[in-house]
């Protein structure tokens, strides 16, 4: 098996593969001129809705990765974290301390600690509805049809302005015909899965309904055992990293006429997991006790923790989409939505079987949004115009215990209102050139509160705080694209991204709480090419970007709490390459590569300059994935198989130097595979049998950590060990 052991080897593999791709694409240009496709087969087109209308992926001037239903199944993608291995310059992991929250990074833009009072750098959308917080963000979605990952600012087209990009989760609409599936499976660590979906026949030629349900369960990856240390407390749970997840979706499509329809969806998900296993790891120190780096990589099988009680989340959402085709060239859309999220965990952050630092988080969040879109075209113009209103309320009870026998109570929350107008116009200048102009104006109001009634127990402030503030922003964008021919498109884009300022909900004193952190602005420059060669058998998409960021919002972990601080000026540059080669009608090869490098031009805090020592969180310099997918007709059925190998460079998870060094993640590689046999039973029914495996080499690698810099150690968290299983699915 190919195993990349260092950065130079990874880069050599990438360069040699791209050169090889270039060699056959050069031949392809000649073949294309001849006008004949030697094999008579081409890559299928992928339709996306990234720009609020259906488009071919290759015609969309955005750095975009898309996974359709078949791709999700063949890669065994269960939630958004699973797309990380296959998507250049994208990192998605469970947040430190748990496995229901999500830390999402695109092109180095991230919110390390997804607290409810902070804005995400990447927007997550379910059927066009913005999900405000990544706390509880690793939820299952039943009947998921497609995932789209958009890199770079998207404010001109999306309800919420973000700097890193957007992740669209698109579920399948009801078909109006009786049908569905039942599936089940099992694997190691006592895992099992059950799911079902049914489409009902159309009622009265108007109403189509689908109901889908999914259930996943798994024992923990690590045991929580009794400690032999004197005076140790008993373990709080039997294991770590167990999974108990359910999801439900109900969708109803009412087509009242050819020009007017109403689409209602209800989604619900629940997770009741045991907390993640945080390993106590002493950093590598110099003779003068300077932190030089993390402990060596070594994933343990068991530990003893007395504060890891539970890690639970529950989300539900209602959305009503109204679509009115005013004419053949103009459509008015309305999206009205309400969502709720409850997140509750109780965890151990000291890494020992004594009460040193235990914390609980009990979060309630609700959001209401209303979006209007006018989508249309006239002559050489295509446009999307929109209005957006968003309200959210978040309350957190976050007590912590330092072993004094009395938990220190901590309350905080925020209510936010956001108002925005956005739009984008495409002008087809001629058959080759298209100019795209976009804009967004946003106003955000925030009311925040903090209550620390017990600060005197630990020698800290006892205080109550309330304040409000308003931020405004105008974000323009412009794109020029050139269509060389039907298969090759070039584009250049400049766009502004923005995150509102806010208040540090976890502030330890009234003085810190009273100073809001600044808004963050990003100017993104991007050039790209999307092309198909060899008469549609080769696809090569490449993008290069340079992001200039003012007042980058970074989370600094300060022991019992985290605090946002702004880096004055910084930049991130990089490239993304995504290639597909249809070798034969039954064999397809995939190659993805990402490069990123971040630099601080000014990072002054309290008069001290940190630009030469601060790190960029979740920004591995190089990232590669290669894959092969094969299918063969056996006469009685089709056998499909896929294998994927990925390599991720070393990376840091915090910007502050000591914290970054204690938790540093070394480079790692993963090998995943799946084999599926699809057997037709009759004209309507089919049976699919499958086996799958993830991290087949049982690689050991850090996902993130919590640094305790004052004591030279960290509580570090590791990626999942080797998992495997089998499944069966009946379609009818």
């Amino acid at each position: 098996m190919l195993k990349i052991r260092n950065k130079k080897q990874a880069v050599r593999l990438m360069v040699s593969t791209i050169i090889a791709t270039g060699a056959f694409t050069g031949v392809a240009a000649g073949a294309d001129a001849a006008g004949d496709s030697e094999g008579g087969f081409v890559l299928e087109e992928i339709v996306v809705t990234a720009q609020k209308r259906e488009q071919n992926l290759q015609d969309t001037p955005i750095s975009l990765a898309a996974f359709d239903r078949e791709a999700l199944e063949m890669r065994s993608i269960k939630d958004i974290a699973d797309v990380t291995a296959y998507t250049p310059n994208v990192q998605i992991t469970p947040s430190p301390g748990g496995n229901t929250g999500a830390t999402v990074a695109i092109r180095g833009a991230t919110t390390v600690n997804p607290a409810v009072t902070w804005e995400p750098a990447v927007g997550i959308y379910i059927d066009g509805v913005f999900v405000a917080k990544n706390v509880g963000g690793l939820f299952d979605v039943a009947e998921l049809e497609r995932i789209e990952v958009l890199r770079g600012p998207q404010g001109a087209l999306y309800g919420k302005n973000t700097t890193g990009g957007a992740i669209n989760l698109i579920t399948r609409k009801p078909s109006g015909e009786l049908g569905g599936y039942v599936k089940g499976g099992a694997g190691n660590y006592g895992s099992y899965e059950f799911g079902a979906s049914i489409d009902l026949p159309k009622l009265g030629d108007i109403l189509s309904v689908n109901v889908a349900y999914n259930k996943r369960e798994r024992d923990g990856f690590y045991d929580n055992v009794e400690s032999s240390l004197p005076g140790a407390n008993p373990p709080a749970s039997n294991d770590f990293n167990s999974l108990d997840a359910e999801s439900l979706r109900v969708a109803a499509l009412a087509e009242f006429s050819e020009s007017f329809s109403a689409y209602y969806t209800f989604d619900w998900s629940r997770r009741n997991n045991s907390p993640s296993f945080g390993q106590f790891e002493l950093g590598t120190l110099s003779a003068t006790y300077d932190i030089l780096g993390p402990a060596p990589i070594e994933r343990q099988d068991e530990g003893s923790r007395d504060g890891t009680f539970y890690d639970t989340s529950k989300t539900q959402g209602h959305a009503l989409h109204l679509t009115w085709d005013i004419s053949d060239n103009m459509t008015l859309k309305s999206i009205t939505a309400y969502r709720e999220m409850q997140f509750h965990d109780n965890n151990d952050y000291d890494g020992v079987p004594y009460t040193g630092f235990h914390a609980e988080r009990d979060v309630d969040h609700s959001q209401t949004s209303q979006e209007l879109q006018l989508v249309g075209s006239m002559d050489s113009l295509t446009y999307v115009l929109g209005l957006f209103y968003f309200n959210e309320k978040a309350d957190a009870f976050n007590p912590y215990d330092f072993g004094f026998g009395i938990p220190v109570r901590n309350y905080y929350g925020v209510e936010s209102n956001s108002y925005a107008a956005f739009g984008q116009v495409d002008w087809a200048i001629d058959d080759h050139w298209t100019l795209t102009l976009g804009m967004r104006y946003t106003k955000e109001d925030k009311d925040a509160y903090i209550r620390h009634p017990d600060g005197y127990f630990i020698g800290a402030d006892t205080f109550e705080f309330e304040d409000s503030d308003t931020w405004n922003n105008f974000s323009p964008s412009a794109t020029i694209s050139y269509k060389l021919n039907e298969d090759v498109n070039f584009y250049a884009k400049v766009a502004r991204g923005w995150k509102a300022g806010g208040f540090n909900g976890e502030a330890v004193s009234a003085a810190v709480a009273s100073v809001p952190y600044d808004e963050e602005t990003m100017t993104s420059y991007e050039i790209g090419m999307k092309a198909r060669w060899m008469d549609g058998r080769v696809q090569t998409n490449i993008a290069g970007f340079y992001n200039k960021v003012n007042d980058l919002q970074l989370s600094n972990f300060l022991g019992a709490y985290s605090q946002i601080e702004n880096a004055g000026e910084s930049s991130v540059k990089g490239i993304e390459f995504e290639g597909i080669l249809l070798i034969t009608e039954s064999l397809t090869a995939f190659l993805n590569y990402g490069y990123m490098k971040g630099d601080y031009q000014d990072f002054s805090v309290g008069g001290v300059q940190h630009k030469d020592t601060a790190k960029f969180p979740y920004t591995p310099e190089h990232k590669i994935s290669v894959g092969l997918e094969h299918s063969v007709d056996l006469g009685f059925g089709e056998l499909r198989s896929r294998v994927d190998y990925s390599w991720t460079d070393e990376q840091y998870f915090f910007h502050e130097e000591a914290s970054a060094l204690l938790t540093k993640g070394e480079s790692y590689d993963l090998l995943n595979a799946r084999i599926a046999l699809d057997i037709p039973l009759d004209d309507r029914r089919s049976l699919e049998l499958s086996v799958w495996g993830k991290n087949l080499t049982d690689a050991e690698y850090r996902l993130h950590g919590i640094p305790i810099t004052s004591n030279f150690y960290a509580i570090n968290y590791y990626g999942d060990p080797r998992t495997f299983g089998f499944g069966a699915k009946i379609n009818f």
Side-chain angles (χ1 to χ4, degrees), residues 194-205:
F194 169 78
S197 174
I198 185 168
D199 279 348
L200 300 178
K202 184 175 285 190
L203 303 176
D205 291 328

Side-chain angles (χ1 to χ4, degrees), residues 403-456:
F404 302 124
I406 302 176
V408 179
R409 293 171 295 170
N410 178 24
Y411 305 86
Y412 56 86
V414 66
E415 180 174 0
S416 175
N417 288 287
S418 181
Y419 313 85
F422 60 91
Q424 179 171 294
V425 178
D426 297 347
W427 174 31
I429 302 171
D430 56 29
D431 291 340
H432 297 282
W433 292 95
T434 300
L435 175 65
T436 302
L437 298 176
M439 60 74 63
R440 178 192 183 87
Y441 174 77
T442 307
K443 177 185 176 183
E444 290 202 11
D445 304 320
K446 292 186 178 181
D447 297 290
Y449 73 88
I450 305 173
R451 295 199 301 273
H452 282 195
D454 304 323
Y456 57 88

Side-chain angles (χ1 to χ4, degrees), residues 79-81 83 91-93 95 100-106 114 119-139 141 144 147-150 154 158-162 164-170 339 367 369 388 390:
D79 57 39
I80 60 172
V83 307
Q91 296 292 113
I92 306 173
T93 70
S95 298
T100 60
T103 296
V104 185
I106 296 181
E119 298 295 326
V122 176
I124 299 175
Y125 295 82
I126 298 180
D127 290 328
V129 176
F130 175 64
V131 179
K133 300 304 177 188
N134 291 349
V135 176
L138 287 184
F139 50 85
V141 178
L144 189 61
I147 296 179
E148 299 174 356
V149 182
L150 288 68
Q154 306 295 329
Y158 284 82
K160 187 71 172 178
N161 201 348
T162 51
I167 298 176
N168 291 337
L169 307 176
I170 297 107
R339 300 192 63 81
Q367 63 174 72
S369 61
F388 179 71
F390 182 81

